[in-house]
Amino acid sequence: MKADEACGAMCLSKPTCQGNEMSEAGSLSGTVQALIVAHGQPSNPAPAEAALAEVCTRVQARLGSVRIGSATMAAPDRLEAALDGLAEGALVYPMFMSDGWFVRTALAKRLEGRAVEVLAPLGLDPSLVGLAAAEVGQAVERAGWLAADTHILLAAHGSGRGRPQAAASARAFAQKLDKALPNAGINVAFLEEPPFVEDIARPMPARSVCLPFFAMDGDHVRCDVRHALNQAAFTGPFLPAFAHCDGVPAMIAATIGAGLSQRKA
Protein backbone atom coordinates (compact mmCIF):
# COMPACT_ATOMS: atom_id res chain seq x y z
CA MET A 1 0.00 0.00 0.00
CA LYS A 2 1.33 3.41 -0.94
CA ALA A 3 1.71 6.12 1.68
CA ASP A 4 -1.16 8.21 0.29
CA GLU A 5 -3.45 5.19 0.22
CA ALA A 6 -2.43 4.28 3.76
CA CYS A 7 -3.38 7.77 4.94
CA GLY A 8 -6.87 7.34 3.56
CA ALA A 9 -7.37 3.83 4.89
CA MET A 10 -8.65 3.41 8.42
CA CYS A 11 -10.42 0.76 10.43
CA LEU A 12 -14.05 1.82 10.84
CA SER A 13 -15.43 -1.32 12.47
CA LYS A 14 -18.31 -0.75 14.85
CA PRO A 15 -17.07 -0.27 18.40
CA THR A 16 -18.45 -2.41 21.22
CA CYS A 17 -16.73 -0.61 24.06
CA GLN A 18 -16.63 3.16 24.09
CA GLY A 19 -16.78 5.60 26.96
CA ASN A 20 -19.91 5.02 29.01
CA GLU A 21 -21.87 3.41 26.18
CA MET A 22 -22.13 -0.20 25.05
CA SER A 23 -23.30 -1.52 21.68
CA GLU A 24 -25.79 -4.28 21.12
CA ALA A 25 -22.85 -6.70 21.12
CA GLY A 26 -22.10 -5.83 24.74
CA SER A 27 -24.12 -6.99 27.74
CA LEU A 28 -22.26 -5.30 30.60
CA SER A 29 -24.00 -2.81 32.79
CA GLY A 30 -22.99 -0.60 35.67
CA THR A 31 -20.49 2.15 36.16
CA VAL A 32 -17.28 2.27 34.17
CA GLN A 33 -14.33 1.27 36.37
CA ALA A 34 -11.46 2.17 34.05
CA LEU A 35 -10.91 4.40 31.03
CA ILE A 36 -8.32 3.92 28.30
CA VAL A 37 -7.23 7.32 26.97
CA ALA A 38 -5.24 8.01 23.80
CA HIS A 39 -4.25 11.19 22.02
CA GLY A 40 -6.35 10.57 18.92
CA GLN A 41 -6.25 12.46 15.63
CA PRO A 42 -7.12 16.19 15.89
CA SER A 43 -7.58 16.58 12.13
CA ASN A 44 -10.03 13.65 11.91
CA PRO A 45 -11.11 12.45 15.37
CA ALA A 46 -13.75 9.85 14.51
CA PRO A 47 -11.60 7.07 12.98
CA ALA A 48 -9.06 7.24 15.81
CA GLU A 49 -11.89 7.16 18.34
CA ALA A 50 -13.30 4.04 16.67
CA ALA A 51 -9.88 2.38 16.53
CA LEU A 52 -9.34 2.96 20.25
CA ALA A 53 -12.82 1.63 21.00
CA GLU A 54 -11.90 -1.57 19.16
CA VAL A 55 -8.76 -1.95 21.28
CA CYS A 56 -10.93 -1.33 24.34
CA THR A 57 -13.24 -4.14 23.26
CA ARG A 58 -10.31 -6.56 23.06
CA VAL A 59 -9.19 -5.52 26.55
CA GLN A 60 -12.76 -5.73 27.87
CA ALA A 61 -13.00 -9.34 26.71
CA ARG A 62 -10.21 -10.22 29.14
CA LEU A 63 -11.66 -8.44 32.18
CA GLY A 64 -14.85 -10.38 32.75
CA SER A 65 -17.55 -8.33 34.46
CA VAL A 66 -15.35 -5.25 34.96
CA ARG A 67 -16.67 -2.53 32.68
CA ILE A 68 -14.16 -0.25 30.97
CA GLY A 69 -14.38 2.54 28.41
CA SER A 70 -12.22 4.54 26.04
CA ALA A 71 -11.82 8.11 24.84
CA THR A 72 -9.37 10.13 22.79
CA MET A 73 -8.23 13.58 23.85
CA ALA A 74 -8.61 14.94 20.32
CA ALA A 75 -12.33 14.28 19.89
CA PRO A 76 -14.24 17.37 21.10
CA ASP A 77 -15.79 16.82 24.55
CA ARG A 78 -15.33 13.07 24.25
CA LEU A 79 -12.95 12.69 27.19
CA GLU A 80 -15.08 14.82 29.50
CA ALA A 81 -18.20 12.85 28.61
CA ALA A 82 -16.43 9.58 29.34
CA LEU A 83 -15.04 10.91 32.63
CA ASP A 84 -18.56 11.88 33.71
CA GLY A 85 -19.53 8.21 33.49
CA LEU A 86 -16.71 6.88 35.65
CA ALA A 87 -17.05 5.42 39.10
CA GLU A 88 -15.38 7.34 41.90
CA GLY A 89 -11.75 6.29 42.16
CA ALA A 90 -11.78 4.77 38.66
CA LEU A 91 -8.56 4.07 36.80
CA VAL A 92 -7.26 5.97 33.78
CA TYR A 93 -4.93 4.02 31.50
CA PRO A 94 -2.86 6.34 29.25
CA MET A 95 -2.33 4.81 25.81
CA PHE A 96 0.94 6.69 25.39
CA MET A 97 4.54 5.59 24.97
CA SER A 98 6.01 7.85 27.65
CA ASP A 99 4.95 9.77 30.75
CA GLY A 100 5.97 13.04 29.15
CA TRP A 101 4.08 16.23 28.38
CA PHE A 102 0.84 14.67 27.16
CA VAL A 103 0.41 12.51 30.25
CA ARG A 104 1.86 14.79 32.92
CA THR A 105 0.52 18.09 31.61
CA ALA A 106 -2.18 17.85 28.91
CA LEU A 107 -4.02 14.85 30.33
CA ALA A 108 -3.41 15.85 33.94
CA LYS A 109 -5.00 19.23 33.31
CA ARG A 110 -8.15 17.66 31.92
CA LEU A 111 -8.34 15.29 34.88
CA GLU A 112 -8.17 18.07 37.46
CA GLY A 113 -10.88 17.72 40.08
CA ARG A 114 -11.69 14.16 39.03
CA ALA A 115 -11.50 11.32 41.56
CA VAL A 116 -9.42 9.02 39.36
CA GLU A 117 -6.10 7.20 39.57
CA VAL A 118 -3.76 7.44 36.58
CA LEU A 119 -1.83 4.26 35.80
CA ALA A 120 1.58 4.06 34.17
CA PRO A 121 1.31 4.49 30.38
CA LEU A 122 1.57 1.69 27.87
CA GLY A 123 5.17 2.43 26.91
CA LEU A 124 6.43 1.97 30.47
CA ASP A 125 4.95 -1.48 31.02
CA PRO A 126 7.86 -3.89 31.68
CA SER A 127 6.08 -6.63 29.72
CA LEU A 128 6.04 -4.59 26.51
CA VAL A 129 9.67 -5.32 25.64
CA GLY A 130 9.05 -9.06 25.57
CA LEU A 131 5.98 -8.64 23.37
CA ALA A 132 7.94 -6.39 21.00
CA ALA A 133 10.75 -8.93 20.81
CA ALA A 134 8.22 -11.62 19.93
CA GLU A 135 6.71 -9.44 17.17
CA VAL A 136 10.14 -8.82 15.69
CA GLY A 137 11.01 -12.50 15.94
CA GLN A 138 7.86 -13.49 14.08
CA ALA A 139 8.58 -10.95 11.35
CA VAL A 140 12.12 -12.26 10.96
CA GLU A 141 10.85 -15.83 10.77
CA ARG A 142 8.23 -14.92 8.14
CA ALA A 143 10.94 -13.24 6.07
CA GLY A 144 13.12 -16.34 6.30
CA TRP A 145 16.02 -14.46 7.89
CA LEU A 146 18.33 -15.30 10.74
CA ALA A 147 17.96 -13.18 13.86
CA ALA A 148 21.72 -12.58 13.96
CA ASP A 149 21.55 -11.04 10.46
CA THR A 150 18.63 -8.72 11.24
CA HIS A 151 18.63 -5.04 12.11
CA ILE A 152 15.82 -3.12 13.80
CA LEU A 153 14.73 0.45 13.21
CA LEU A 154 12.80 1.78 16.20
CA ALA A 155 10.85 4.68 14.67
CA ALA A 156 9.60 7.08 17.35
CA HIS A 157 7.89 10.45 17.47
CA GLY A 158 10.42 12.55 19.35
CA SER A 159 9.72 16.20 20.11
CA GLY A 160 10.12 19.20 17.86
CA ARG A 161 9.67 21.43 20.92
CA GLY A 162 12.70 20.33 22.87
CA ARG A 163 10.83 18.09 25.32
CA PRO A 164 13.31 15.32 26.16
CA GLN A 165 11.01 12.67 27.64
CA ALA A 166 9.70 11.28 24.34
CA ALA A 167 13.17 10.58 22.94
CA ALA A 168 14.45 9.35 26.30
CA SER A 169 11.64 6.80 26.54
CA ALA A 170 12.37 5.48 23.05
CA ARG A 171 16.08 5.13 23.77
CA ALA A 172 15.43 3.43 27.10
CA PHE A 173 13.09 0.99 25.36
CA ALA A 174 15.72 0.31 22.69
CA GLN A 175 18.27 -0.55 25.38
CA LYS A 176 15.89 -3.07 26.93
CA LEU A 177 15.00 -4.50 23.52
CA ASP A 178 18.69 -4.88 22.77
CA LYS A 179 19.01 -7.16 25.82
CA ALA A 180 15.98 -9.17 24.70
CA LEU A 181 17.38 -9.46 21.14
CA PRO A 182 21.14 -9.39 21.73
CA ASN A 183 22.05 -10.45 18.18
CA ALA A 184 20.05 -7.74 16.42
CA GLY A 185 21.42 -4.28 15.75
CA ILE A 186 18.96 -1.60 16.92
CA ASN A 187 18.80 1.94 15.58
CA VAL A 188 16.55 4.66 17.05
CA ALA A 189 15.20 7.46 14.86
CA PHE A 190 12.50 10.12 15.15
CA LEU A 191 9.92 12.01 13.13
CA GLU A 192 10.35 15.40 14.80
CA GLU A 193 13.98 15.55 15.93
CA PRO A 194 17.31 14.17 14.76
CA PRO A 195 18.33 11.58 13.96
CA PHE A 196 15.39 11.42 11.56
CA VAL A 197 13.74 8.22 10.38
CA GLU A 198 14.56 8.75 6.71
CA ASP A 199 18.23 9.46 7.40
CA ILE A 200 18.71 6.39 9.59
CA ALA A 201 16.64 4.07 7.41
CA ARG A 202 18.44 4.89 4.16
CA PRO A 203 21.76 3.13 4.87
CA MET A 204 20.29 0.21 6.81
CA PRO A 205 20.80 -3.30 5.41
CA ALA A 206 18.08 -5.00 3.39
CA ARG A 207 17.38 -7.38 6.27
CA SER A 208 15.91 -4.74 8.54
CA VAL A 209 12.61 -4.50 10.40
CA CYS A 210 10.85 -1.25 11.30
CA LEU A 211 9.21 -1.28 14.73
CA PRO A 212 7.12 1.88 15.29
CA PHE A 213 7.39 3.18 18.85
CA PHE A 214 3.78 4.34 18.83
CA ALA A 215 0.73 3.26 20.78
CA MET A 216 -1.78 3.44 17.90
CA ASP A 217 -1.71 3.15 14.10
CA GLY A 218 -2.62 6.79 13.50
CA ASP A 219 -1.39 9.11 10.77
CA HIS A 220 2.09 9.31 12.29
CA VAL A 221 2.54 5.58 11.70
CA ARG A 222 0.49 5.01 8.55
CA CYS A 223 1.58 8.22 6.82
CA ASP A 224 4.63 9.92 8.33
CA VAL A 225 6.76 6.89 9.21
CA ARG A 226 5.71 5.09 6.04
CA HIS A 227 6.56 8.13 3.92
CA ALA A 228 10.00 8.40 5.53
CA LEU A 229 10.63 4.71 4.85
CA ASN A 230 9.52 5.08 1.24
CA GLN A 231 11.84 8.05 0.80
CA ALA A 232 14.68 5.96 2.19
CA ALA A 233 13.84 2.99 -0.08
CA PHE A 234 13.36 0.86 3.04
CA THR A 235 11.78 -2.44 1.99
CA GLY A 236 11.87 -4.50 5.18
CA PRO A 237 8.83 -5.52 7.28
CA PHE A 238 6.87 -2.63 8.79
CA LEU A 239 5.25 -3.77 12.03
CA PRO A 240 2.02 -2.35 13.50
CA ALA A 241 1.86 0.03 16.43
CA PHE A 242 1.85 -1.64 19.83
CA ALA A 243 -1.89 -1.54 20.53
CA HIS A 244 -2.40 -3.84 17.56
CA CYS A 245 0.26 -6.38 18.51
CA ASP A 246 -0.57 -9.81 19.88
CA GLY A 247 -0.53 -9.92 23.65
CA VAL A 248 -0.94 -6.18 24.26
CA PRO A 249 -4.70 -6.25 25.04
CA ALA A 250 -4.06 -8.98 27.62
CA MET A 251 -1.17 -6.93 29.04
CA ILE A 252 -3.39 -3.84 29.39
CA ALA A 253 -6.13 -5.95 30.96
CA ALA A 254 -3.65 -7.34 33.49
CA THR A 255 -2.51 -3.83 34.42
CA ILE A 256 -6.07 -2.60 34.87
CA GLY A 257 -7.06 -5.73 36.78
CA ALA A 258 -4.11 -5.36 39.13
CA GLY A 259 -4.93 -1.69 39.68
CA LEU A 260 -8.53 -2.49 40.55
CA SER A 261 -7.44 -5.23 42.94
CA GLN A 262 -5.08 -2.84 44.74
CA ARG A 263 -7.84 -0.27 44.99
CA LYS A 264 -10.12 -2.77 46.72
CA ALA A 265 -7.41 -4.06 49.08
Side-chain angles (χ1 to χ4, degrees), residues 4-257:
D4 292 343
E5 294 172 345
C7 286
M10 190 69 186
C11 175
L12 292 175
S13 58
K14 183 178 180 181
T16 58
C17 173
Q18 187 167 348
N20 55 354
E21 299 177 356
M22 292 292 288
S23 76
E24 295 177 357
S27 59
L28 296 177
S29 61
T31 310
V32 177
Q33 300 293 316
L35 184 69
I36 301 175
V37 179
H39 179 253
Q41 191 69 44
S43 61
N44 188 16
E49 189 74 35
L52 181 63
E54 185 170 341
V55 173
C56 177
T57 297
R58 295 169 65 196
V59 176
Q60 177 73 78
R62 294 161 172 82
L63 282 172
S65 61
V66 175
R67 186 179 177 194
I68 66 172
S70 64
T72 65
M73 297 173 65
D77 302 321
R78 182 72 194 93
L79 177 58
E80 285 67 28
L83 290 170
D84 288 343
L86 292 182
E88 184 175 354
L91 306 179
V92 172
Y93 184 92
M95 188 72 77
F96 290 86
M97 298 310 297
S98 76
D99 61 348
W101 184 85
F102 274 107
V103 174
R104 294 188 179 186
T105 302
L107 178 58
K109 183 175 181 179
R110 294 176 70 174
L111 296 179
E112 286 181 355
R114 304 278 187 172
V116 298
E117 177 185 349
V118 181
L119 299 173
L122 171 72
L124 299 189
D125 194 308
S127 300
L128 190 61
V129 172
L131 295 178
E135 287 287 327
V136 171
Q138 292 170 13
V140 170
E141 184 176 352
R142 288 193 298 267
W145 303 341
L146 296 176
D149 297 334
T150 303
H151 293 255
I152 300 170
L153 171 61
L154 188 70
H157 188 278
S159 173
R161 299 183 179 182
R163 297 170 182 148
Q165 191 59 44
S169 295
R171 292 192 173 98
F173 186 87
Q175 291 178 350
K176 296 174 184 177
L177 188 61
D178 185 55
K179 294 179 180 179
L181 298 169
N183 296 320
I186 301 177
N187 296 277
V188 182
F190 305 98
L191 289 177
E192 295 199 356
E193 65 179 275
F196 294 106
V197 173
E198 180 179 340
D199 296 334
I200 297 299
R202 184 174 289 108
M204 289 187 70
R207 295 187 175 186
S208 296
V209 176
C210 180
L211 175 64
F213 191 68
F214 288 83
M216 301 288 294
D217 275 335
D219 282 356
H220 279 315
V221 174
R222 295 179 297 105
C223 300
D224 299 336
V225 175
R226 170 53 72 188
H227 177 71
L229 296 179
N230 288 345
Q231 291 297 108
F234 183 97
T235 59
F238 183 34
L239 301 182
F242 285 110
H244 311 286
C245 294
D246 292 341
V248 168
M251 184 190 79
I252 297 173
T255 299
I256 292 175

